[in-house]
Amino acid sequence: VLSIRKALSIQAHPTKDHAEQLHKSFPDMYKDPNHKPELAIALTPFEALCGFRPIPQIQEYLKKIPEITQVLPQEALNAFLEDGSNLKGLIHSLMTCDKEKIALSLQSYLSRLEKEDVNTQASLLFPLIQRLQSDFTGDVGCWVPYFMNYIILQPGQAIFLKPNLPHAYLSGDCVECMACSDNVVRAGLTPKHIDVPTLIDMLDYTSYTKQELLFVPQLEDENSCIWSPPVPDFAVVKI
């Protein structure tokens, strides 16, 4: 059981082949050659960031938040706003932006939002961004909820974190089951080592709806159900 009070890092886990390559090249950083798919089943309301949002949602946020667009390259930003192309390039630009610029942009943004009405604050995820900024002041990961799906799982709901799927657990209790590995590639909301180049190259940039990310169990009989991910490493049965 995993109990989270403070957000865990924005991260992804490599495929088996990629894990073997990372372990061979950087054994001090990636200590085993295995993949690390995960299944998280909520025991309480459980907050997470998972997968990239549908492109129109990201575009809409960017149009409303000049503080973030000002730190992104104008050419890449304009192309993305026009046709949704090159999300990877946009994420790379965000993650490699000067840390001082990121910190100042967050400070300016939250100062502006504090003066807005409650409905505007809610539509722009103000409580979440404010909490992340409080815990990880000036961290580029505080901008990531505008690019990734913000999900609140209810007890019994689950998400399966396949290789390369970006995610971050934010709060709540869950049953977490995973393959036997410690391979984590991080990029934000953490004081631990981050590896932005590796993460940017490996991420799944597919856009997902929240519904697509829910992992639904199969009924075994009237007394049990099973969450059986498409990996041979594990499954979880509820009786």
Side-chain angles (χ1 to χ4, degrees):
V1 174
L2 188 63
S3 186
I4 299 163
R5 183 189 63 82
K6 182 179 178 180
L8 303 184
S9 61
I10 298 166
Q11 59 184 254
H13 307 297
T15 64
K16 184 73 167 67
D17 288 345
H18 192 197
E20 291 173 354
Q21 295 170 14
L22 290 172
H23 176 61
K24 184 177 180 179
S25 300
F26 310 103
D28 292 339
M29 193 183 311
Y30 301 103
K31 299 183 182 298
D32 63 77
N34 203 16
H35 65 171
K36 192 175 181 281
E38 296 178 351
L39 177 69
I41 306 170
L43 296 175
T44 66
F46 187 82
E47 292 180 289
L49 300 175
C50 187
F52 286 106
R53 292 176 176 273
I55 294 297
Q57 290 184 18
I58 301 174
Q59 291 171 323
E60 192 63 26
Y61 277 128
L62 293 179
K63 291 174 183 176
K64 293 179 178 178
I65 307 174
E67 291 86 353
I68 188 172
T69 58
Q70 288 167 3
V71 303
L72 295 171
Q74 203 62 43
E75 185 176 345
L77 175 65
N78 290 341
F80 181 79
L81 290 176
E82 182 176 343
D83 58 16
S85 62
N86 198 19
L87 176 59
K88 179 178 180 179
L90 208 62
I91 295 299
H92 177 269
S93 296
L94 178 67
M95 289 295 176
T96 56
C97 183
D98 179 77
K99 292 182 179 180
E100 185 175 351
K101 286 184 178 180
I102 291 293
L104 290 173
S105 68
L106 284 165
Q107 185 178 12
S108 174
Y109 178 56
L110 289 172
S111 295
R112 175 169 69 85
L113 273 195
E114 285 175 354
K115 303 169 187 174
E116 297 286 355
D117 61 82
V118 173
N119 290 334
T120 299
Q121 290 180 344
S123 70
L124 292 174
L125 307 179
F126 175 65
L128 172 60
I129 307 302
Q130 187 179 49
R131 178 166 27 117
L132 294 178
Q133 169 75 345
S134 175
D135 288 339
F136 302 94
T137 304
D139 192 294
V140 66
C142 297
W143 282 124
V144 169
Y146 298 116
F147 296 87
M148 289 174 61
N149 286 292
Y150 172 51
I151 297 175
I152 303 178
L153 298 177
Q154 297 306 310
Q157 291 184 315
I159 48 176
F160 173 61
L161 305 168
K162 63 183 180 179
N164 301 330
L165 185 68
H167 60 278
Y169 297 155
L170 303 179
S171 73
D173 299 345
C174 75
V175 171
E176 185 186 40
C177 193
M178 69 193 78
C180 185
S181 173
D182 288 322
N183 284 321
V184 179
V185 186
R186 302 179 183 88
L189 301 182
T190 181
K192 296 180 180 179
H193 176 79
I194 63 173
D195 187 353
V196 171
T198 298
L199 190 77
I200 294 298
D201 283 343
M202 67 184 270
L203 283 184
D204 173 6
Y205 289 94
T206 305
S207 290
Y208 295 94
T209 65
K210 294 180 183 181
Q211 196 63 34
E212 288 174 324
L213 292 166
L214 294 179
F215 193 75
V216 180
Q218 296 176 322
L219 292 177
E220 291 279 272
D221 53 44
E222 61 183 15
N223 297 311
S224 65
C225 63
I226 183 170
W227 288 268
S228 185
V231 293
D233 305 79
F234 61 85
V236 177
V237 177
K238 178 183 178 182
I239 300 175

